[in-house]
Amino acid sequence: DAKTTQPPSMDCAEGRAANLPCNHSTISGNEYVYWYRQIHSQGPQYIIHGLKNNETNEMASLIITEDRKSSTLILPHATLRDTAVYYCIVRPPYNTDKLIFGTGTRLQVFP
Amino acid sequence: NAGVTQTPKFRILKIGQSMTLQCAQDMNHNYMYWYRQDPGMGLKLIYYSVGAGITDKGEVPNGYNVSRSTTEDFPLRLELAAPSQTSVYFCASSSGTGGLGYTFGSGTRLTVV
């Protein structure tokens, strides 16, 4: 599975957009980009995933560059409840369905 | 709908003791996983199962054993507990159709003293 690189931490003001970057320069053609988050000590929560097109759901937007070597998760209006560790994971969709986690980005949303 | 249920939530073990962490899911998912998370670190895959009777090692399997006799249950056994196994353990399940279907339990916090 391709390796990802994320900044260890980021800050964001409440109400502003949080843009979390992820580099995955060795991504293969059939690998998807997945984002999960972990709030405090809870189990990780799925946010969004995509292959090459930009994706949006009720939680976030995912922007994948045209060469697919990097992506950005966007939380359009961050709230204090969005304070969490965010994990970017790349993997084939049917690779026995394993998720391999990196160290993620710790997002702190402040008032 | 309970999702993924882990028991116990907390446990303190003495060095050399053994215990079983329980995990059960009620979503009829074929895939189940055990992860551990050390303080300030990401999750590491211990073992996983793609169906009843089938298990395989993940990134950090040493010191652990698993079994999968039913679709619903995936217990994790610690033999001869060591301080290095102090961690938070998460069980997860998925439908096997990509990362969308992952559901995690609330975790078991284990301390070995």
Side-chain angles (χ1 to χ4, degrees), chain A residues 31-101:
Chain A
E31 288 184 316
Y32 283 66
V33 180
Y34 293 87
W35 283 84
Y36 278 72
R37 73 179 182 183
Q38 187 175 24
I39 297 174
H40 194 44
S41 298
Q42 300 175 20
Q45 174 191 24
Y46 165 83
I47 302 173
I48 198 168
H49 76 287
L51 181 63
K52 60 176 77 173
N53 298 319
N54 298 337
E55 302 287 345
T56 296
N57 63 20
E58 65 278 4
M59 291 181 67
S61 294
L62 174 61
I63 308 298
I64 302 174
T65 58
E66 191 168 345
D67 63 8
R68 303 212 319 123
K69 292 185 177 182
S70 65
S71 60
T72 301
L73 177 74
I74 301 172
L75 307 179
H77 305 286
T79 71
L80 298 178
R81 289 191 298 271
D82 291 322
T83 292
V85 178
Y86 288 77
Y87 297 98
C88 169
I89 303 167
V90 295
R91 55 176 292 283
Y94 299 104
N95 182 24
T96 65
D97 221 26
K98 291 182 292 182
L99 281 181
I100 303 298
F101 288 82

Side-chain angles (χ1 to χ4, degrees), chain B residues 13-21 36 46-47 61-67 75-85 89 110 112:
Chain B
L13 276 183
K14 294 184 178 180
I15 295 172
Q17 287 185 321
S18 300
M19 77 164 292
T20 299
L21 281 66
R36 60 174 286 174
I46 305 172
Y47 271 96
N62 292 342
Y64 307 94
N65 281 299
V66 293
S67 60
L76 177 71
R77 178 79 177 167
L78 279 71
E79 304 282 2
L80 299 176
S84 60
Q85 293 178 304
Y89 291 83
L110 175 67
V112 181

Side-chain angles (χ1 to χ4, degrees), chain B residues 5 24 38 82 98 105:
Chain B
T5 303
D38 298 335

Side-chain angles (χ1 to χ4, degrees), chain A residues 34 36 38 40-47 49 85 87 91-104 106, chain B residues 31 33 35 37 40-45 48 50 59 88 90 94-102 104-106 109:
Chain A
Y34 293 87
Y36 278 72
Q38 187 175 24
H40 194 44
S41 298
Q42 300 175 20
Q45 174 191 24
Y46 165 83
I47 302 173
H49 76 287
V85 178
Y87 297 98
R91 55 176 292 283
Y94 299 104
N95 182 24
T96 65
D97 221 26
K98 291 182 292 182
L99 281 181
I100 303 298
F101 288 82
T103 53
R106 183 173 299 276
Chain B
Y31 291 70
Y33 317 82
Y35 290 87
Q37 186 173 33
M41 306 295 288
L43 283 75
K44 295 291 186 183
L45 183 63
Y48 65 99
V50 301
E59 303 170 272
V88 180
F90 290 101
S94 76
S95 58
T97 56
L100 174 62
Y102 265 67
F104 283 82
S106 57
R109 185 175 297 275

Side-chain angles (χ1 to χ4, degrees), chain B residues 1-5 24-27 103:
Chain B
N1 191 352
V4 176
T5 303
Q25 54 93 7
D26 62 359
M27 297 169 285
T103 302

